[in-house]
Amino acid sequence: MIRIFPSLRFTSLLSAAKPLCSYSPAREPPASFTEAKSSPETNSLSITPKTPLFLRTPSHATSLSEVWKWHDWAKDLASSVEESSKNSEDVLDSVILLRELKWLIEDSIVDDPLVILHRSEISDNGEKNVKLRASLEELYDLWRQRIEKRRPFQYVVGCEHWRDLVLCVEEGVLIPRPETELIVDMVEELVTRDEWFKKGFWADLGTGSGAIAIGIAKVLGSRGRVIATDLSPVAITVAGHNVQRYGLEGMIEVREGSWFEPLKDLEGKLVGIVSNPPYIPSDDIPGLQAEVGKHEPKLALDGGIDGTDSLLHLCHGASRMLQRGGFFIFETNGEKQSKMIVDYMMSNDLKDCFSDLKIVSDFAGINRFVTGFRL
Amino acid sequence: MVLTVLGPLAGRSFAITAKPNLLLLQPTNLPLLRLSLPLSLPHFSSSSSSCRLRSSIVFAAQESNLSVSNENETSEWLMQDFYTLRKDVEIASARVEEIRASAGLEQLEQEIANLESKATDTSFWDDRTKAQETLSALNDLKDRMRLLSEFKTMVEDAETIVKLTEEMDSTDVSLLEEAMGIIKELNKSLDRFELTQLLSGPYDKEGAVVYITAGAGGTDAQDWADMLLRMYMRWGEKQRYKTKVVEMSNGEEAGIKSATLEIEGRYAYGYISGEKGTHRIVRQSPFNSKGLRQTSFSGVEVMPLLPEEAVGIEIPEEDLDISFTRAGGKGGQNVNKVETAVRITHIPTGVAVRCTEERSQLANKTRALIRLKAKLLVIAEEQRATEIKEIRGDAVKAEWGQQIRNYVFHPYKLVKDVRTGHETSDITSVMDGDLDPFIKAYLKHKYTLAMASAHNLEFQLISFNVRLTGVQTLIHVVNMSKDPATFIQGAMPDIIGNTKEEFFASKLEMSTRIAQAQALRLIPLSVQVKLNLSLLEDINDDLEFCFKVAKESIIILPVELELLIDGFSRLKNFAVRDTPRSSHGN
């Protein structure tokens, strides 16, 4: 049984553009099924990636006292969140918010952020000007979005620190998670053990911001080649931009299209496949943390009824695209899902395709990854 | 120096104020009155070119409310100033001599010559790292050399002024002031020079990471942790170090739960490493409406700030327990929390570090690992283990909790270091970063311990007596060791002076004797100064002098000082004694 929903991911993107606030428990089919007809071309207008805060020109001279005022306001807002949302389980944590505020300051100020954070320690009455990368007005707005709209911090500052990378991210691209850092660790371990994997083509499917592709390219060394694919034009733009920022254009090729579609020329030739596909069961989507559910692209999250639609498609793809001895890692929703994928790969027509199937847990002990080799 | 006498003791009258913690005994009942004397360190209390002493503490006398007469003529003061200056110059001169002698000038010159010839070698730059090392070593040596000759020039300048003044009939105030200035400056430089001698640990030159955690006790403890953070930041600023709070976790009501402070600059670690331990505060709680007395604790950990490549130790994976902050719930795509804290525990020793300030998990892990290694290296150093696996975990656990200093805000004001006994009532200055006296006292303490153990001496048995009996001075050196092989006992001949002039002259001789004793690795732990006041003309002057001598002789450590003053009999018999310290107890 092969289930392929090539258009599923794309249409989810469209629906992500609408705010998703329906908490209706009704078991409707995902919006994507009904909208699956639209074609990718309509959306591939030329997109320019947004410049993250920390890369902008510091053209806003502002007096320190005004910045302090903003900082006080932002701190108060951050500290007051817990009382205001007592009834809900999905609450902001003011300790984390204060840390985010510190990072927001780091990203927006050219001077030492300490002039803001440790005001009491400096003997300045605030008349001095500091250079900001955003107007104070925008900073007020950004922090309000963070708290009132629950806009993810990484979208607010336009970047995510991931491993040793700083990746540009924006709406329409999944923010890479710390768990996913482990995929790069595992690849690194493999290629240090076996040089063979350094020479061939790797594929990162549904690359999003390009995080895994860039992480892998760096551990592969100069001879490595990674093809990063994504259906979303925004992701393609952002991933391309990130690859460029790390000067890895020579090693990473970003191709637009669904899963293996843009890789037809490499059938049976890949030495490795990695992917963090959408794996959240559709029914779980409405209950997600607001930052995720309301802001991140459902195309990158929604894995169909039991969350395995894309994963199963990837299993079949892996059997076709990997060369003998080739390696794969898929990230999953954990626990049951990992088990299901392993079981699936050991049965039916995929039986005898793979060896050494393993479930690897993440740092929180959740069975997060499925790995294995092509026989 | 704490004991002071205000003004010349005309009419044998005394003004007395006593510190609240001083134990005052009724002198009428006792032949000797023992006062607890917080002994400031020899060279670190400013060389008192001001003989009109500034501190407020005076000893006890029966007529406790006698006032001070202070109606001296200017010229008398001038003479007094001159005598003080002359003494200061003599002391400084002896110090310079001693330092120059112990620095091994010839050897230093030889080393510089060696390195210089190396640097001119054609193949010198083949190995860049080594070349850099050599050059930096050469610079260090040259700096030392330069300093040593600077000391000599300075003291000679001051000596010239003294001689000039002696030859002249009148006193040139500006010249005297200049000399005082020189001596003050010189003493500071000498202090610094000696301190660097104390900072010879392998990481002492590095920057430092100070990690402060509030102990149990809620808001009070968190506020206390915040106060400590501020104290260390102020200290860093005063030393012109670059300080940076890299991580801070705020308390709910006030204060902080924890903070990590990075201090960049040469010798930052060397100075501040002794702050490691538990700091205890006693005060009226500002967070309690009843204002009850409250005791809180905060822990301070100090690690060297080592560059990644410098931490060249490998720890086997299985010895590390690495835990990450869980985003909670299902994790992965389900959650987006920018919480990437990493905690690493070294299982065999139980040493743990946590890193939260970085924005990615890997970065936090890398940084945490560097800190853990730095911490283990320091522990290994302390335990004289050559490898990490030799570290005794039980010892580590016992040590990290140790209480090192008490800060009492209420009912009286006192900061006292439990290890060195150093104390001050000026708690405001301490909280404002005036930590140097504490730091220096600790460094000396540490040095002595190291010396004692290096020479297999039972240091608490060693005593070094300086006795001043009227115009007679006796230095008696006793060194007792459990090891008969190193048992040394000897008495030095008395230094006798029959006139006041000779009395003062004997001081130089005494400094030499002290230096000799030190050369024999005799570590004075108790100094006894005995003075027969009835034989002295100017009690103020001589008392001051006695203390100076006593302080002079305690070059290594704030040792136990016992000042026995006989001959006060018609006035008062009293003695001032440093409170016994716990370190002597074992």
Side-chain angles (χ1 to χ4, degrees):
Chain A
M1 186 186 76
I2 306 172
R3 291 190 283 171
I4 306 173
F5 300 100
S7 52
L8 174 70
R9 282 165 58 84
F10 170 65
T11 46
S12 308
L13 170 74
L14 289 183
S15 58
K18 297 177 271 176
L20 179 96
C21 337
S22 93
Y23 284 80
S24 115
R27 288 183 162 252
E28 291 168 299
S32 45
F33 281 98
T34 54
E35 291 171 334
K37 303 260 154 58
S38 36
S39 72
E41 284 76 39
T42 52
N43 222 35
S44 9
L45 304 164
S46 76
I47 303 165
T48 38
K50 284 187 193 157
T51 311
L53 198 52
F54 80 102
L55 289 177
R56 292 203 219 156
T57 16
S59 52
H60 305 268
T62 317
S63 79
L64 251 182
S65 58
E66 288 297 310
V67 184
W68 287 343
K69 216 187 278 173
W70 166 79
H71 185 230
D72 286 342
W73 166 83
K75 268 203 306 202
D76 284 350
L77 199 58
S79 315
S80 63
V81 291
E82 270 154 41
E83 294 106 58
S84 60
S85 49
K86 251 177 201 154
N87 302 326
S88 159
E89 261 181 47
D90 176 23
V91 286
L92 284 163
D93 178 337
S94 47
V95 173
I96 295 180
L97 278 178
L98 288 173
R99 190 171 297 150
E100 291 178 6
L101 181 61
K102 185 183 153 214
W103 292 340
L104 175 60
I105 290 166
E106 279 174 13
D107 278 8
S108 29
I109 192 169
V110 183
D111 304 62
D112 191 338
L114 290 178
V115 300
I116 299 173
L117 296 165
H118 291 285
R119 181 194 324 181
S120 58
E121 302 298 329
I122 61 169
S123 50
D124 191 298
N125 51 12
E127 280 166 20
K128 207 184 113 197
N129 269 357
V130 284
K131 282 187 176 162
L132 298 180
R133 301 182 193 277
S135 68
L136 212 51
E137 205 177 306
E138 192 182 354
L139 287 179
Y140 274 105
D141 192 41
L142 286 174
W143 195 241
R144 218 175 269 129
Q145 287 173 13
R146 172 71 194 99
I147 290 174
E148 288 163 12
K149 301 266 192 310
R150 303 284 301 266
R151 190 179 178 207
F153 174 73
Q154 299 91 335
Y155 289 160
V156 168
V157 291
C159 72
E160 158 77 339
H161 290 235
W162 191 82
R163 288 181 65 84
D164 50 349
L165 310 169
V166 182
L167 300 160
C168 301
V169 291
E170 61 182 72
E171 269 83 356
V173 176
L174 183 85
I175 298 159
R177 304 289 198 264
E179 285 91 338
T180 313
E181 291 186 359
L182 282 176
I183 292 186
V184 182
D185 289 343
M186 285 186 265
V187 172
E188 184 171 22
E189 205 190 308
L190 176 79
V191 300
T192 358
R193 219 173 44 221
D194 191 341
E195 289 275 323
W196 180 76
F197 288 98
K198 284 192 176 177
K199 290 172 226 158
F201 282 98
W202 284 74
D204 173 17
L205 304 163
T207 193
S209 62
I212 310 178
I214 294 169
I216 289 181
K218 289 185 80 174
V219 302
L220 286 180
S222 54
R223 278 182 300 169
R225 290 286 172 273
V226 185
I227 320 280
T229 74
D230 208 295
L231 184 58
S232 151
V234 183
I236 292 298
T237 313
V238 171
H241 178 61
N242 280 323
V243 168
Q244 210 183 346
R245 264 184 28 85
Y246 281 96
L248 294 170
E249 300 99 316
M251 295 177 65
I252 303 173
E253 194 187 324
V254 184
R255 295 183 184 177
E256 186 172 343
S258 172
W259 305 127
F260 298 98
E261 254 174 43
L263 300 176
K264 295 211 166 93
D265 53 323
L266 291 165
E267 202 165 307
K269 292 182 186 152
L270 296 175
V271 296
I273 295 176
V274 287
S275 182
N276 175 20
Y279 53 62
I280 301 177
S282 303
D283 281 353
D284 291 356
I285 300 279
L288 288 175
Q289 183 196 339
E291 281 81 358
V292 182
K294 282 191 191 173
H295 297 273
E296 291 197 277
K298 267 200 296 307
L299 175 67
L301 301 168
D302 191 337
I305 293 168
D306 62 1
T308 56
D309 288 1
S310 307
L311 279 164
L312 297 182
H313 176 62
L314 287 172
C315 293
H316 286 277
S319 73
R320 207 174 63 240
M321 302 297 292
L322 282 175
Q323 46 172 301
R324 256 170 177 282
F327 176 71
F328 75 89
I329 308 178
F330 300 143
E331 186 173 320
T332 77
N333 205 26
E335 310 304 332
K336 274 193 303 194
Q337 211 179 63
S338 291
K339 184 98 185 359
M340 260 174 73
I341 300 302
V342 171
D343 287 347
Y344 186 79
M345 290 181 107
M346 292 197 298
S347 58
N348 304 324
D349 45 345
L350 289 181
K351 193 168 65 181
D352 307 327
C353 279
F354 298 100
S355 69
D356 288 316
L357 290 173
K358 252 192 238 160
I359 293 172
V360 180
S361 59
D362 62 18
F363 47 76
I366 296 173
N367 291 330
R368 180 70 59 198
F369 309 97
V370 176
T371 69
F373 295 87
R374 180 75 171 94
L375 271 175
Chain B
M1 196 176 99
V2 180
L3 182 121
T4 56
V5 180
L6 298 178
L9 300 167
R12 302 298 187 210
S13 59
F14 285 89
I16 295 127
T17 44
K19 277 174 48 160
N21 62 322
L22 289 183
L23 178 67
L24 292 183
L25 301 173
Q26 274 301 321
T28 37
N29 303 335
L30 288 166
L32 290 179
L33 170 62
R34 296 196 164 212
L35 291 189
S36 160
L37 171 71
L39 176 66
S40 34
L41 277 164
H43 307 321
F44 304 114
S45 58
S46 71
S47 87
S48 47
S49 44
S50 59
C51 69
R52 277 147 280 165
L53 302 140
R54 53 225 134 61
S55 57
S56 59
I57 315 306
V58 182
F59 47 85
Q62 208 165 26
E63 309 94 312
S64 57
N65 55 355
L66 288 177
S67 63
V68 180
S69 69
N70 201 354
E71 46 209 40
N72 299 278
E73 285 161 35
T74 326
S75 63
E76 249 178 68
W77 277 122
L78 262 181
M79 275 321 284
Q80 286 253 349
D81 280 353
F82 173 70
Y83 283 132
T84 318
L85 171 67
R86 198 174 62 180
K87 272 187 280 175
D88 283 345
V89 172
E90 280 164 7
I91 291 170
S93 169
R95 249 182 108 186
V96 169
E97 279 301 306
E98 185 196 315
I99 282 179
R100 284 173 64 90
S102 66
L105 284 174
E106 274 172 35
Q107 203 191 336
L108 209 58
E109 273 165 10
Q110 188 61 45
E111 268 177 60
I112 291 176
N114 279 349
L115 288 177
E116 269 173 342
S117 77
K118 247 192 211 170
T120 49
D121 201 291
T122 42
S123 61
F124 180 65
W125 283 104
D126 292 356
D127 185 345
R128 270 196 96 78
T129 353
K130 223 175 158 193
Q132 292 286 8
E133 272 170 29
T134 311
L135 283 186
S136 116
L138 184 60
N139 275 336
D140 277 357
L141 289 178
K142 277 186 171 168
D143 275 351
R144 257 176 88 107
M145 200 66 194
R146 190 179 48 78
L147 271 174
L148 287 169
S149 45
E150 234 177 66
F151 295 159
K152 200 166 158 51
T153 327
M154 283 171 93
V155 85
E156 279 169 0
D157 285 351
E159 276 169 342
T160 312
I161 293 176
V162 168
K163 268 194 206 127
L164 262 175
T165 312
E166 273 173 340
E167 284 162 14
M168 284 192 300
D169 291 338
S170 63
T171 320
D172 184 336
V173 179
S174 67
L175 262 182
L176 280 189
E177 274 172 2
E178 193 190 330
M180 282 177 186
I182 291 174
I183 291 298
K184 204 171 158 192
E185 203 47 46
L186 175 64
N187 275 319
K188 268 194 201 158
S189 307
L190 290 173
D191 289 351
R192 228 173 293 136
F193 185 84
E194 283 182 340
L195 259 186
T196 26
Q197 306 301 299
L198 295 177
L199 296 173
S200 53
Y203 312 111
D204 283 354
K205 271 191 183 165
E206 309 289 342
V209 184
V210 181
Y211 186 65
I212 302 166
T213 14
T219 307
D220 272 296
Q222 289 168 4
D223 185 52
W224 174 226
D226 201 10
M227 288 162 76
L228 284 175
L229 173 65
R230 186 176 170 283
M231 179 177 88
Y232 289 123
M233 284 181 76
R234 281 290 153 95
W235 175 80
E237 282 159 22
K238 284 188 180 169
Q239 315 297 311
R240 306 193 179 263
Y241 287 140
K242 213 173 133 194
T243 60
K244 190 174 158 197
V245 179
V246 290
E247 181 269 341
M248 191 159 90
S249 155
N250 287 299
E252 286 87 9
E253 242 182 280
I256 53 170
K257 285 178 186 156
S258 69
T260 308
L261 177 69
E262 279 187 6
I263 304 177
E264 277 177 56
R266 271 167 76 82
Y267 289 107
Y269 177 73
Y271 286 125
I272 209 173
S273 56
E275 293 296 301
K276 180 189 78 181
T278 302
H279 297 241
R280 171 174 173 260
I281 184 180
V282 181
R283 62 167 171 181
Q284 276 179 306
S285 169
F287 303 100
N288 183 318
S289 53
K290 286 178 195 154
L292 293 176
R293 208 163 103 190
Q294 179 92 30
T295 300
S296 315
F297 298 89
S298 279
V300 173
E301 282 185 29
V302 188
M303 290 159 249
L305 182 61
L306 296 175
E308 196 172 344
E309 60 277 8
V311 193
I313 51 165
E314 287 300 321
I315 304 172
E317 282 277 321
E318 62 268 24
D319 281 357
L320 296 177
D321 177 22
I322 305 181
S323 60
F324 302 85
T325 306
R326 298 183 52 162
K330 291 179 179 151
Q333 291 168 6
N334 298 273
V335 187
N336 172 15
K337 285 213 173 122
V338 284
E339 175 68 87
T340 55
V342 176
R343 183 188 163 84
I344 307 183
T345 310
H346 183 242
I347 301 164
T349 56
V351 172
V353 290
R354 186 164 179 269
C355 190
T356 61
E357 72 259 24
E358 297 290 338
R359 282 162 75 163
S360 92
Q361 197 151 263
L362 181 78
N364 270 328
K365 185 181 152 192
T366 311
R367 206 176 173 106
L369 202 56
I370 294 173
R371 284 210 189 130
L372 178 76
K373 286 178 179 175
K375 206 162 158 177
L376 288 171
L377 280 175
V378 171
I379 296 170
E381 174 69 23
E382 281 168 356
Q383 295 192 358
R384 293 166 194 279
T386 47
E387 278 179 72
I388 296 300
K389 62 177 180 211
E390 286 175 19
I391 293 177
R392 285 167 296 123
D394 49 336
V396 174
K397 272 164 217 147
E399 187 167 345
W400 287 101
Q402 224 172 51
Q403 182 181 315
I404 63 152
R405 200 176 296 148
N406 291 315
Y407 304 72
V408 183
F409 284 74
H410 180 83
Y412 50 87
K413 291 190 187 327
L414 181 73
V415 184
K416 179 157 183 154
D417 197 294
V418 225
R419 302 161 302 180
T420 59
H422 184 76
E423 64 179 43
T424 174
S425 58
D426 189 1
I427 202 162
T428 320
S429 295
V430 173
M431 294 317 296
D432 215 26
D434 265 342
L435 288 171
D436 279 6
F438 285 97
I439 287 174
K440 286 162 184 171
Y442 177 72
L443 285 175
K444 298 213 156 198
H445 169 72
K446 197 171 94 179
Y447 182 76
T448 312
L449 291 184
M451 290 290 282
S453 78
H455 295 96
N456 192 25
L457 298 178
E458 290 296 314
F459 69 94
Q460 65 272 29
L461 295 176
I462 304 163
S463 78
F464 181 105
N465 296 321
V466 177
R467 216 178 294 152
L468 281 165
T469 312
V471 288
Q472 288 191 1
T473 315
L474 173 75
I475 303 179
H476 184 67
V477 183
V478 183
N479 166 23
M480 286 194 282
S481 165
K482 275 190 178 167
D483 180 2
T486 54
F487 185 92
I488 309 165
Q489 177 161 25
M492 291 194 183
D494 295 358
I495 303 167
I496 301 171
N498 291 318
T499 63
K500 190 170 169 183
E501 291 305 303
E502 283 171 359
F503 181 80
F504 287 128
S506 68
K507 182 181 50 174
L508 265 179
E509 177 76 26
M510 185 143 40
S511 299
T512 318
R513 295 282 170 85
I514 290 162
Q516 283 170 354
Q518 282 183 325
L520 288 169
R521 304 240 182 261
L522 301 174
I523 302 149
L525 268 193
S526 120
V527 171
Q528 207 178 52
V529 178
K530 207 170 179 188
L531 179 70
N532 192 336
L533 282 181
S534 55
L535 296 174
L536 293 173
E537 295 155 55
D538 186 339
I539 292 178
N540 181 20
D541 218 298
D542 294 329
L543 259 180
E544 163 80 333
F545 170 62
C546 291
F547 269 91
K548 270 204 177 150
V549 171
K551 279 163 52 176
E552 270 305 294
S553 58
I554 324 161
I555 289 158
I556 295 184
L557 184 79
V559 298
E560 205 163 293
L561 171 75
E562 194 170 3
L563 181 65
L564 301 164
I565 303 178
D566 297 339
F568 235 148
S569 49
R570 278 159 302 152
L571 314 157
K572 295 292 141 291
N573 271 326
F574 73 96
V576 184
R577 196 186 159 85
D578 190 16
T579 40
R581 271 162 295 112
S582 52
S583 57
H584 287 216
N586 39 1

